[in-house]
């Protein structure tokens, strides 16, 4: 009798323990599902506006404030531009004019402007022999030393690439205007050579600087250059620019000194 009672007691205890285990397991599963749903929701909210342009527009992903955004709104939009002539880089005469009349070509002027601790090959001369670049595109600190194997470590980038300008309206310019554009310090930056090569002639919808906290300034300069020269943007390019400016409310245009 006692043994039967003890057996029933142990059975009830095991049943109660099993019920508690099942209850705990069910609660854990619910909590895990809630976490998964929350993660999916956050992911959709962050990623989907960037993937789907329509959703991005609806959610304000491509709205921005400030001078750069207002100027961008005023640029002519032209998709699939058809230049009247074939692009030729040498049509812009890079390094073939002396913009400020100091006797130096524009590459040396930009190196002198953008590098620190600059030394020239001769006192008062044009050619930069060495200096240090705080690269805006990558954030790296680059020691520039003039030489056959080292000069290309720092290159001069046309922020609005020459081929992009050609497709955006420069194909109709006369030689003098193209030369002014090709040697305009406002459109030129000393940058990391490999980053410049990676960019090529890409517009903002295909390439942005790896250093994310410089993208607002980069896009703002592109907009300023295009506004200065009356160049157009494509719909995709404009949307990409607005997407960047959305993250920096009130972004100004860089001054053109």
């Amino acid at each position: 009798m006692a043994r039967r009672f003890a057996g029933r007691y142990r059975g009830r205890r095991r049943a109660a323990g099993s019920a508690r285990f099942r209850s705990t397991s069910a609660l854990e599963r619910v909590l895990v599902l809630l976490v998964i749903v929350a993660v999916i929701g956050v992911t959709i909210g962050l990623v989907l506006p960037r993937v789907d342009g329509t959703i991005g527009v609806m959610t304000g992903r491509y709205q921005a404030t400030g001078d750069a955004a207002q100027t961008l709104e005023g640029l002519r939009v032209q998709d699939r531009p058809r230049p009247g002539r074939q692009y030729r880089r040498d049509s812009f005469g890079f390094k073939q004019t002396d913009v400020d009349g100091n006797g130096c070509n524009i590459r040396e002027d930009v190196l002198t402007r953008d590098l620190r601790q600059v030394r020239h090959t001769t006192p008062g001369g044009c050619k930069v022999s060495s200096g240090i670049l705080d690269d805006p595109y990558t954030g790296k600190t680059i020691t520039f030393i003039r030489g056959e194997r080292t000069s290309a470590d720092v290159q001069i980038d046309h922020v609005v690439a020459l081929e992009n300008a050609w497709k955006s309206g420069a194909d109709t310019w006369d030689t003098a205007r193209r030369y002014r554009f090709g040697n305009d310090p406002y459109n030129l930056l000393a940058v990391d050579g490999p980053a410049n090569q990676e960019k090529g002639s890409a517009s903002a919808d295909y390439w942005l600087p790896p250093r994310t906290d410089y993208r607002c300034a980069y896009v703002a300069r592109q907009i300023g250059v295009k506004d200065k020269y009356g160049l157009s943007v494509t719909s995709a390019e404009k949307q990409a620019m607005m997407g960047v400016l959305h993250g920096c409310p009130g972004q100004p245009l860089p001054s053109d000194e």
Side-chain angles (χ1 to χ4, degrees), residues 24-211:
T24 302
S25 297
L27 179 60
E28 289 177 347
R29 286 196 294 271
V30 170
L31 290 175
V32 169
L33 285 173
L34 288 175
V35 171
I36 292 173
V37 170
V39 170
I40 291 174
V42 171
T43 301
I44 290 174
L46 292 175
V47 175
L48 199 54
R50 301 170 188 268
V51 174
D52 190 313
T54 302
I55 294 176
V57 171
M58 292 173 61
T59 58
R61 178 71 181 82
Y62 302 111
Q63 295 177 2
T65 60
D67 290 343
Q70 291 177 3
T71 303
L72 176 57
E73 287 289 5
L75 296 183
R76 177 170 49 93
V77 176
Q78 183 176 356
D79 291 317
R80 297 186 179 182
R82 300 178 181 275
R85 287 176 284 178
Q86 186 175 3
Y87 165 70
R88 287 174 45 239
R89 180 180 175 84
D90 59 7
S91 296
F92 290 89
F94 180 54
K95 297 191 297 185
Q96 295 182 34
T97 63
D98 180 9
V99 176
D100 55 10
N102 66 350
C104 305
N105 72 42
I106 192 63
R107 172 178 167 82
E108 305 302 335
D109 283 340
V110 174
L111 288 175
T112 299
R113 181 196 69 186
D114 292 353
L115 272 58
R116 54 188 174 86
Q117 298 182 23
V118 173
R119 293 184 178 181
H120 294 86
T121 54
T122 58
C126 291
K127 292 184 178 181
V128 174
S129 62
S130 64
I132 297 174
L133 174 68
D134 297 315
D135 178 45
Y137 286 0
T138 65
K140 296 189 300 186
T141 299
I142 302 170
T143 299
F144 171 77
I145 300 175
R146 192 181 199 91
E148 183 176 345
R149 297 184 178 181
T150 55
S151 288
D153 291 346
V154 173
Q155 299 179 13
I156 308 302
D157 180 41
H158 288 87
V159 180
V160 173
L162 298 180
E163 186 173 5
N164 179 276
W166 185 269
K167 294 177 180 178
S168 303
D171 64 307
T172 65
W173 296 348
D174 60 21
T175 299
R177 185 171 179 80
R178 285 200 296 269
Y179 273 44
R180 282 197 299 274
F181 180 88
N183 295 275
D184 188 344
Y186 188 56
N187 189 36
L188 296 170
L189 291 175
V191 300
D192 173 63
N196 186 44
Q197 292 298 310
E198 179 185 75
K199 171 190 172 181
S201 60
S203 53
D205 49 324
Y206 288 102
W207 189 89
L208 290 168
R211 180 184 162 197

